[in-house]
Amino acid sequence: MRLNLLFLFIIIFLTYGTTSGQEMNYKLSTDSLVNFHASNKRIYTTQRIQERPRIDGKLDDICWKQEGYWDGEFIQQQPVQGRTPSQKTMINILYDEDNLYVAIKCYDSEPDKISPILGRRDDFTSGDVAGIALDTYYDKTTAFEFNLTAAGQKIDLVHLGAYQWDTNWDAVWEGKVHIGDSLWTAEMRIPFSQLRFSEKEEQVWGMHVWRWIDRLDEESQWKLIPVDAPAMVYIFGELHGIRDIKQKRRAEIMPFVAARHFSGGLKSERFGYGIDGKIGISSNFTIDFTVLPDFGQVEADPSELNLTSYEVFYDEKRPFFLEGNSILDYSAGSDMLFYSRRIGHAPSYTPSAGAHEDILMPAGTTILNALKLTGKNSKGLSMGIINSMTSREFAEISDGNNIRKELVEPFTNYFIGRVKQDLNNSNTIIGGILTSTTRSIGSENLRFLPETAHTAGFDLLHNWHDRKYFVELKSFYSNLQGSTEAISALQTSNRHLFQRVDAEHLEFDPNRTMLDGWGGLLRGGKQSGKFRINASLSWRSPGVDLNDLGYLRDADLISQRINLRYQVNQPKGIVRNYYITLEERNDWSFGGENLNTNLNLHGYLKFSNLWSVHLDAVRNLGKTDTRQLRGGPSLRIDPFSIGEIFLQTNSASKLFFGLGADKKWVDDQLGGSIDYTLHIQWKISNRFNLTLRNYYEKLTDNNQYITRRALNNETRYLTGKLQRKTAYSVIRAEFFATPELSFQLYGSPYASVGKFVRINKVNQSLSIDPDLRYQPLTILSGSDGRLFIDESNNGMADYSIPVPDFNFREWRSNFVLRWEYKAGSTLYLVWTQNRSSYESIYEPKLFKSFESIPKIKAENAFMLKFSYWFTL
C-alpha cells in the first residue's frame, strides 16, 4: 500500500510538472529587470580562421584585430544583479579545424588593484578570474568550463546540474594572460579533442562567459544567470557558427616512471612504472585506463582519533578516480553506492606475531589496472563504467633471522556501471547503477570477507516550473554472499548489530551465507526564490550493506528531514546578503524506536565590507543510541544544546582571518564541550601564500563506551566519563614560480589526550536519571596497563580491563615540487613523513604531548615521478 501511494505521488508530479518548449521565459525573480536579462536569448556567432593565434595573452595577433567581432554588454550578477558592471568586459571567439580560441578583455579603471595571485590549479580564491563554459551536448544540464586567473593559473571543471560541478576534471589546453595599462587579457586555445559533442554539420552549444573582480566581490556575466536561479546551464546563452569539424577520436598516452626510497618500516617497491591514458572511441565517449598506477604525490589524509562506532569517511584524492566521477556518482544523503576509496584500500587482515617478531605490512592494496568508460551521447544518454583489479597482498613477518609471508588481502575485481537518460528537455532524468565486488579468498584466514557483494539502484529526478520545483527518488538493493563466518561478521558489525539484546525486529543467524537489504531516498521541494523548502525521507533496512564498494554509515534507519530557507541577495545598507535556515530531523529504527529528534537554526550574514558571520543554534531533544554499546542494549543520550559563531574578514585582503567558537551544553550538566577555530591566510606576495588552520576542543562525555566483560554468566557493558582535549593544526606554504611550477608544503600535527575520571556499569540503559542509568565501579589498582574492577565491593577484583586513558600524537606531512613542463606532462618530487604514537597513559598537558611529536620514530618516503603526455 505504501509503495502504491509513493508511485502515485511520483506520477502526479510528473504529469503536473511537464515543461514544454526550448524558449526561456524566466520569471522567478521579484526584480523585473533580472527576469528580463535572464529571459533575453543571447547568441554569439563565431568565425573560422586559417592562421592560428599565438597563445601568449597579449591579443596582438591579426585574427583578434581583423576577424570575428568583440562583444560586450555584460550584466552584473552580484552584488546588484541586473545592473551595469563597474568594469567593462569584451569577448571574441574564433575556431579552426582543431581548436576553439577565446579572448577576453577585462578592463579596469584602477589597474593597480588588479589581483594577479598565483594559486593551485582549480583554486577559485586566487584573485581576479575570467572564463567560459560550453554546453557542448546542448542538454542544458552539463557543461565544460575553462577559466584563467589574472595570474595565469588554470581553473577547469565540469558542470553537473543544479550548482554541482567537478573541479577534478583536468583537460589539456593552453591559456595565458597579460596585464596592461588599463586592463588584463586572457587568451585560450581549447582543443576540440578535450570536448564531447554530437556529430552535426553545424554545432549549437550553450555558452556562458563570466568575470570575477576579487576586491569588489563582483561577478559580471555575458548572459545573466540570476543568483536565485535553481540551476545554471539551462539559462546559458548560445554559441553558433562552428561548422564542419570532424569527430575527434583521440588517443592520449601518459607513461610514467617513479623512483622511491622508504624508511621506517614501510613495505613497497623501490622502482615503479606504469601508464595512464585516454582513448576517444567517439567524440561523445572516452575510455580512461591505468596500469600499475602511482598516487605517491597525493596529499595525506587528515589525522583523527575515532572513538565512535562509525567508520571515518575520507575524501578521494587520486586523479584517476576523481576525473569523470560525476557520471558514476550515486549518493543518497551521506551514503553512496560507489566510494572509490575501497579500490586500493589498506589490507583487510592483520596477522599476529610472536614476542620477538616484527610485521611489515603493505601500505595499501596494489591496483593492477583500472578501465573507465564515460560519456554522454546526443540523445541524452550518460554512461559510466569502471572495472579494476587489485592484487593479492602479503605481510612479511620476521624474527631477525627468518622471514615468513602471510596473505592479508585476496585478489579482487571491482565493477561499477552507471547509466542516466535525460528526458523532457533535461527536466527529467532517470538512471540506474550496478556494482560488483568479487574476491578470490584462497586462504582460511580471509574467510571473514564476503566472496561476492552486489548492489543495484534506480533513480529519478524531475524538475518543473522553470526548475523551481523538483522531486527525486533514489532506491537501491544489496546482496552479499560468503561463508557463515563472513556473514556472521557482517551481522555483528557496528553497521548492523543483529545481536542487539533489546531489538525484537533483529535476529542473529550464525548459519546464514547471504545478507541482503534495501534502502532509498525520496525528497523534493522548492529550490529558488527568497523562500525555499526541501523535505526528504530516507530509509536503510537492517540487512542493507554497501561497504564493499560503497559507503554506508549505518543500517536499520529511517530518517525524515524538513529544511526551510529564507534568502535575500539584494544589498541594503551595510548588509550585502543573508540567509536563515531551519532544519528539523527525526530518526527511527525499523523496529519503531525513536532514535533522534533535532532542530537546527543557522544564519549567515555578509556585510558591505565583505566581512561575514555564521551563527548556529542546535537543540537536540534526546537520542537513543543503538550502537554506542556495540551490540548491547540501546543507550539514552541526554538532550543537549549547541551554540556556534564564526566570523571571517574580507578574504580578498592580503591577511585574512576566520575565528569561531562552538559550545555544547548537556541538560544533565554531566557533559559538554567547547571548541575554538582559528584560520589565518597570509598572501605574502602574489606568488607566496601561507595558510594556517588551528583547532582546539575540550570535551566531557559521560557516555563514552569502554568495553564489555562477563561476570556470573552476565555481560557487563562499561562506559565512562571521559575528559578529552584535542588540538591540531593544518599548515600550508605554497610558492609558485610560474603557474606551472610550484613548491607546496603540507603539515599537520595532531594530539589528543583523554582521561576517564569515572568508570560505570550500564544498569538501566534507557533511564532518564543518570544515577539509575549508570552504576559507578570501584577500581582497586592498576598494573601492566590494566585496571582491576571490584564490582561486588568486597575488596576483590572481579575482572580487569585495559587502561582506557590515552595519549595519541601524530604528524603527517608532504612536500611536493610540481612542474608541468609541457601541457599534460608533469614532473613530481615528493617527500612524505609520518609519525604516530598511541599510549594508554594520560598526559595532562596537551601541548607537552604536541612537543613530544618530533621524538616519535618517523616513516619517510621520497619519490621522483616523471610523466609524459602525448597523443596518437
Side-chain angles (χ1 to χ4, degrees), residues 296-313:
Q297 76 278 9
V298 172
E299 190 174 281
D301 291 318
S303 299
E304 181 170 350
L305 177 60
N306 182 21
L307 299 181
T308 74
S309 61
Y310 301 102
E311 177 189 7
V312 176
F313 180 88

Side-chain angles (χ1 to χ4, degrees), residues 450 480 485-493 495-497 515 545:
L480 297 92
E485 181 183 355
I487 302 305
S488 293
L490 281 173
Q491 293 180 81
T492 57
S493 69
R495 293 189 299 278
H496 301 283
L497 299 175
L515 183 69
D545 197 291

Side-chain angles (χ1 to χ4, degrees), residues 366-417:
T366 301
I367 301 174
L368 298 174
N369 58 66
L371 189 71
K372 176 167 61 177
L373 169 68
T374 57
K376 185 174 186 177
N377 67 16
S378 60
K379 304 297 183 181
L381 176 66
S382 302
M383 181 181 297
I385 295 174
I386 285 183
N387 195 84
S388 181
M389 300 178 184
T390 59
S391 69
R392 297 198 303 167
E393 295 291 344
F394 292 87
E396 295 181 358
I397 305 172
S398 172
D399 62 2
N401 297 314
N402 301 303
I403 298 177
R404 59 186 173 90
K405 293 185 176 182
E406 192 165 346
L407 186 66
V408 293
E409 185 69 28
F411 173 85
T412 307
N413 187 86
Y414 300 94
F415 172 84
I416 307 98

Side-chain angles (χ1 to χ4, degrees), residues 295 298-302 315-320 322 341 746:
F295 303 114
V298 172
E299 190 174 281
D301 291 318
D315 292 329
E316 178 60 271
K317 300 178 181 180
R318 298 169 296 177
F320 176 85
L322 285 170
R341 289 289 295 255
Y746 165 89

Side-chain angles (χ1 to χ4, degrees), residues 496-514:
H496 301 283
L497 299 175
F498 277 35
Q499 76 277 24
R500 276 178 49 207
V501 297
D502 57 351
E504 296 181 359
H505 64 291
L506 300 176
E507 181 180 356
F508 171 67
D509 182 356
N511 299 314
R512 294 184 68 169
T513 57
M514 185 269 286

Side-chain angles (χ1 to χ4, degrees), residues 6 48 146 327 343 382 538 651 735 797 808 810 833 847 867:
L6 174 62
R48 192 172 192 135
F146 303 85
I327 295 178
I343 303 176
S382 302
S538 63
S651 60
F735 177 76
F808 177 67
E810 192 162 62
Q833 184 181 95
F847 289 97
S867 64

